[in-house]
Amino acid sequence: MSLQATLSVRVASALQAAGIEDSLAVVMPSVDTRFGDYQTNAAMVAAKALKKNPRELAASILSHLHVEDLCEVPTVAGAGFINFKVLDATLSEALNGVRGDGRLGVIPVGSPKTIIIDFSSPNVAKPMHVGHIRSTILGDSLARIARRLGHRVVTDNHIGDWGTQFGKVIHGWKHLLNAEALEKAPIAELVRLYREVNSAEENNPGLKETVRHELVKLQQGDPENLEIWKQAVALSWKEFERLYGLLDITFDERLGESFYNDALAPLVERLLNEEIAEKSEGAVCVFFRGSPELEEKPCLIRKSDGGFLYATTDLATLEYREQRWKPDAVWYVTGAPQQLHFEQVFATARRMGVTTDLRHIAFGSILGEDRKMMKTRSGENVELGGLLSEAIERALTVVAEKNPDLSKDQQEEVARIIGLGAVKYADLMQHRLTDYVFSWDKMLSFQGNTAPYLQNAYVRIRSIFRKAEAEGISTAVSPIVIADLAERALALQIIQFSEVLYTVLEDQRPNLLCLYLYELADRFHKFYEACPVIKSGGDVRASRLTLAGLTADILRDGLGLLGIRVPERM
Ligand code: ARG
């Protein structure tokens, strides 16, 4: 058990003894470390509910609290915070536990859950927009963290490979296709076809009908249209895969919308029979009468022309997932604009008897410097491939300037790590629900809360080790002794790694891991300034080298959980 968890257990029994609801026993790292290392606001929360004086309640909790083996005598501060200052011996012990543990102190969950994470999910032959970029980065990180904590994770890329866009694409393919362009840049060519037909349709109602007919033919299994569809999906997927490869992202499943096509009609019939859905003006809807949020917003599952909808596919998808994986939770990582869609799907699923924990992991937008939705100069959606190449290119300029003596190949390798890391980190460090302004300069800076800053902290530690090795100093992992204040601050941060991962997963907020790593690097720099490592000798040096080594391990591991790699030099 982590120190934080142990303290929570102790507080819980003190609350019980004081006759207070023990679920209030939440112990957190202190915000202001002058008052202590950990704190709990249990007395304040309880006082509010019981209409009592919080400081008096805190005193009464203290009289039942036994932590003398772990901390100095706890104190009450402010409006009723109880503060804990951990004994150096306790801290060393916890730290040495992390040191001797291949998992860096990360304790797997007691009862693993099966979590399906539905993320990335771009649409074939439609431009991938920045929403897909955020989904890709965020979903991948959440999957990594959930796995690290011992959950069973199934990642599924629910690509949009069966939408109405195919009427346009097929018509364009038959009449406007540039085979050479398709060969060179398939997605761009498919998007071009889509756009051209789309705008031609606008002042040509006849064309609209023809295009719709192509779609109907596809849906009815016309061999020619089916073949075009297959090729378009395969070409798009190839390009998506290249990007996922670059980003080091993999999926367990890639069950796109088309996979569920045959399940849609029977599903709607079943929902009608079970009186979950009803006919309304020729269409089929699920009504949520009496629901304050959804009363006026029925979920449409079949249009009056017989066509099915995004929601219909999501319901079929959920049924399939329920049967195949029996998940405890399904997480849908998509932008905030899809909130209503998921509320409707989840509410319908409840009616169907699904009890799984369904969550829409929503996120905000990426904005351009003008604070409007990020677009390219010509006003189009920013394309992920171009964005990543630019990141690598810009990183290369920085790397070449800072490391002229690295070989060209090495420079390129480091630039890839830095450039891609910078893009991912800039996204993950934000609270996912906030919109943020995309800025190359900020994200590639070696100062501040950025990936290069953290990667650089790692590199610095590695160079300390190289130096030690060059001087014949042993770098063997040794017992850690805490003496200096800066050492203590770093040690406290290190033992909190496991707890942070739990908090991150609870609200699906990797930005808390970013913040943790940033603080870790910061405390390391302070430690390194205050405490000579190589120049000290004997046990102190061995201890400090071990502390530095642990910091590097957590930086590498923590960044890895964000999908970001570290270079050995930069
Ligand atoms: N393809 C969709 C879009 O681009 C995202 C799909 C998300 N997943 C889902 N099961 N609905 O908006």
Side-chain angles (χ1 to χ4, degrees), residues 118 120-123 129 132 158-160 257 310 314 317 321 332-334 338 341-342:
D118 173 322
S120 193
S121 314
N123 299 319
H129 52 75
H132 297 118
H158 187 76
I159 59 170
E257 293 177 0
Y310 186 40
D314 257 325
T317 307
R321 289 172 174 167
Y332 299 84
V333 189
T334 66
Q338 297 200 18
H341 164 75
F342 284 110

Side-chain angles (χ1 to χ4, degrees), residues 129 334-342 360 362-365 373:
H129 52 75
T334 66
Q338 297 200 18
Q339 188 184 344
L340 176 62
H341 164 75
F342 284 110
H360 176 207
F363 51 79
S365 315
M373 278 292 252

Side-chain angles (χ1 to χ4, degrees), residues 168-221:
K168 297 175 202 200
V169 172
I170 290 170
H171 180 82
W173 187 291
K174 288 181 179 172
H175 303 281
L176 304 165
L177 188 67
N178 176 341
E180 208 178 304
L182 188 72
E183 173 101 346
K184 264 206 211 118
I187 293 190
E189 174 63 4
L190 290 173
V191 170
R192 183 187 71 84
L193 296 178
Y194 169 82
R195 285 211 178 109
E196 294 220 349
V197 176
N198 199 37
S199 56
E201 260 183 1
E202 267 166 31
N203 22 28
N204 185 345
L207 180 60
K208 215 170 203 161
E209 206 29 58
T210 317
V211 166
R212 218 186 64 82
H213 187 62
E214 294 292 11
L215 182 67
V216 172
K217 271 169 68 188
L218 171 69
Q219 288 168 342
Q220 290 168 345

Side-chain angles (χ1 to χ4, degrees), residues 273-285:
N273 285 337
E274 291 171 5
E275 295 179 3
I276 292 171
E278 54 198 90
K279 292 211 170 112
S280 167
E281 295 168 34
V284 178
C285 296

